[in-house]
Every structure is written in structure tokens, then in C-alpha cells.
Amino acid sequence: HIGSSLERKPGGAVLRSRVQQPLDPSQPIDMSFQQIGEQFVQHYYQTFDTNRAGLAGLYGDSSMLSFEGEQFQGAQSITQKLASLSFQKVQHQVVKCDCQPNPTENGVIIFVTGNLLVDDNQNPLKFAQTFYLRQGPSGNYFCQNDMFRLNIG
């Protein structure tokens, strides 16, 4: 059974691939770029929907966020922006998750489309989001680039 865990590191939390049993779970293994991307997306939106401040560990100091045309750099700045969004409740519904490898950096490019339910509004907003996960020196993944847009009009 293949799984993953997120570990918090000084440069940001990272996705670490692991085999849970019967192999030694302390040894990272290679997961496909699709598995890495899908597991990141599941963790990202679950965390966003329940504890936006908890997203800080997914970014590093050099990470960039483009949110509706505004630019933010670094985990602290990105998390401040996401935590300051004016809604109380939010639920992401992923419709599609497309992933591609970036073999030159062992990275993963992720493109997500979906629906966003905000507060008690039952009319979902359409959104698109792109992530670039980069592998750090220890083999862990973090979000280097994040671009978000609502699909309005």
C-alpha cells in the first residue's frame, strides 16, 4: 500500500512518498507524478477548507502565489493572504486534476479545475488552480508556484 505524509521542515512542509507496509516506512520510494500530484491536491484542499493557516508548511521562502492577479512571495506572505480571505466557510470540489512531470527538476506540474462553495451560498463558483511542486534537496516536495483564478463571466 503506497501512501504519503507531509512533514514540516524549516523551509516548509513537504510531501514525502512512503511505502507503509510491509516495507520499511522510513524509506522514501518513487511515486508516480500522478500520485504525487493527486495526494498533494487532496491534502492542500482539505487543509485549505479546515485550517488555512496550516498551509504555510506547504510553501518555502522562494514560493510564489498569484491570486486573482496579485503576487505574493514566501510562505508567510502567501499564508497571510489565504488566511485573510473574507469567507468563513469554504469547500473545494475538484472536478479535474491533470499532472505532468518536470524531469529536469523532478518536479510535478498540477492543473486543477473545480467548484468552490463559499459560506452558505449553494451556487458554486468555478475555479482553476495550477501548482508546481519542486523536490527539495532531501527529496521532499513543496509548492514552488501556485496560481489561482476564479472562472467568472
Side-chain angles (χ1 to χ4, degrees):
H1 175 207
I2 295 177
S4 69
S5 63
L6 287 167
E7 298 177 2
R8 188 162 192 130
K9 300 281 184 195
V14 290
L15 185 65
R16 167 152 274 196
S17 310
R18 298 192 182 275
V19 171
Q20 293 175 336
Q21 292 299 330
L23 300 176
D24 180 0
S26 67
Q27 297 301 310
I29 62 149
D30 290 331
M31 291 174 61
S32 78
F33 63 87
Q34 189 72 35
Q35 290 171 306
I36 292 166
E38 289 174 357
Q39 289 187 10
F40 173 83
V41 164
Q42 180 182 11
H43 178 77
Y44 179 89
Y45 291 125
Q46 183 178 21
T47 304
F48 192 108
D49 294 353
T50 58
N51 175 25
R52 281 178 269 165
L55 294 171
L58 299 179
Y59 297 97
D61 293 337
S62 66
S63 297
M64 292 283 303
L65 167 68
S66 295
F67 188 89
E68 290 292 308
E70 287 184 86
Q71 302 279 348
F72 302 90
Q73 183 169 7
Q76 183 177 358
S77 176
I78 292 169
T79 306
Q80 283 176 340
K81 171 60 181 176
L82 298 177
S84 73
L85 297 173
S86 61
F87 45 79
Q88 299 301 308
K89 293 190 312 185
V90 63
Q91 180 185 356
H92 289 82
Q93 298 171 335
V94 174
V95 174
K96 297 287 182 189
C97 176
D98 298 320
C99 303
Q100 291 184 352
N102 177 345
T104 58
E105 288 188 330
N106 245 357
V108 180
I109 302 165
I110 307 165
F111 179 63
V112 178
T113 58
N115 299 314
L116 198 57
L117 293 169
V118 177
D119 292 327
D120 294 321
N121 189 343
Q122 293 305 305
N123 296 319
L125 301 169
K126 303 287 185 192
F127 76 92
Q129 191 160 13
T130 301
F131 300 100
Y132 175 60
L133 304 185
R134 188 168 156 211
Q135 204 167 24
S138 60
N140 300 320
Y141 288 91
F142 68 97
C143 184
Q144 177 66 54
N145 301 92
D146 180 353
M147 295 180 281
F148 176 89
R149 280 279 182 186
L150 289 172
N151 300 335
I152 300 175

